[in-house]
Amino acid sequence: MTTLTTPSPSATAHRDSGGPRLLSWLLRLHRPALWAWTALVLVLGAGLLWLWGPLTDAAAAAWRQYNACDMRPRCAYDQPAILLYKDVEHYITLAVTAVPFLVAAWAGAALFGRELESGTAQLAWAQSLSPTRWLTAKLAFPAVLVTAGTGLLVCLYHLAWSAGRGRIDTARSWYDSLVLHTNGPTTVAFALTGLAAGALAGVLCRRTFPALALALGLTAVVRAVAHLAMPHLWPSVTHTVDRSEGPVVLGLEADSGLVTSTGAHVPVPRCDAMDPGGCSAAYDRLGAVGYYTEYHPFSHYWPLQLTTTALVLVLAGLFALGAFWVLRRTTGTARAAAKAGAV
């Protein structure tokens, strides 16, 4: 015979409590992560403000001094300002690029994997929360913080980059592989993908380190796929030049190759770059008369950003739906087994 237990009044009250009680529980449980995230956003934000104002102004003035030297052998200019700007910009760009991966690692390891491994999640399900509500709360509140923090960093980065555009001779182009994403909303979408990937990895692995590794892997794959797909998500512009001029870089490249005498576009054949004669002979055999480049000018920046962001958010949504599906399947199976054992 099995004994049916009645939930205590305190447990029932806790189960029926609303959003404020749940929010308080999340804040207590993940207070160290919240402080760490706040500190990260503040430090990077301060660095971007420094880059946006004093560093850009000092480096721009130094570049004006350098360009005014006009190849004179001895000419004074503020080289340390140029080097400091370059170093700070480089490390901040890497840090903002790494934010989605930090979110993925935390979500997979601490937010989901560790709680499922230690039994904290199962205790919450038994006392106060259904698995679905637990996962919803775990995703919704961090998603707001991740969106706000990453969005602020992206806005500040865009301001800092725009301040140096046309003033800093060595400033990165808008289509640089890192700037292309840290400069726009795709980084926010990557961060949300990291959160959703962490949820899926956590409910799949139910262990801290495997979930961390899987979340990082999924986020890296999404970023790589988005970067490769971006040039093909919006119609490009085709530019052709004579063979004697050589290929040119005009923007974000979608495709390039040779133009034959018939007007056909063919790939550049493999040849030894150290042997110009060998390459020339290969081009002659193809009847090449010029080069073509399919590219995106700067005016395509926002259409590319928005279409890529939409694609990444769809993938993030699929990860989140996958996490709910896996959790429902696993908890449903466990509950069915528990009921069968009780009978």
Side-chain angles (χ1 to χ4, degrees), residues 200-224:
L200 179 58
V203 299
L204 276 174
C205 301
R206 293 178 174 255
R207 294 173 59 195
T208 302
F209 292 108
L212 183 152
L214 180 58
L216 287 175
L218 289 173
T219 306
V221 168
V222 169
R223 193 188 191 285

Side-chain angles (χ1 to χ4, degrees), residues 119-135:
T120 305
Q122 291 83 344
L123 183 62
W125 302 342
Q127 292 184 348
S128 59
L129 293 173
S130 68
T132 300
R133 192 180 177 199
W134 171 84
L135 181 56

Side-chain angles (χ1 to χ4, degrees), residues 174-175 238-241 248-253 293 295-298:
W174 70 271
Y175 51 86
T238 301
H239 178 76
T240 59
V241 296
V248 293
V249 178
L250 300 169
L252 181 62
E253 185 177 301
T293 303
Y295 75 101
H296 295 280
F298 183 63

Side-chain angles (χ1 to χ4, degrees), residues 4-27:
L4 298 178
T5 58
T6 302
S8 65
S10 61
T12 303
H14 188 60
R15 182 181 291 111
D16 295 335
S17 62
R21 187 77 173 268
L22 183 58
L23 179 60
S24 176
W25 168 69
L26 283 172
L27 288 173

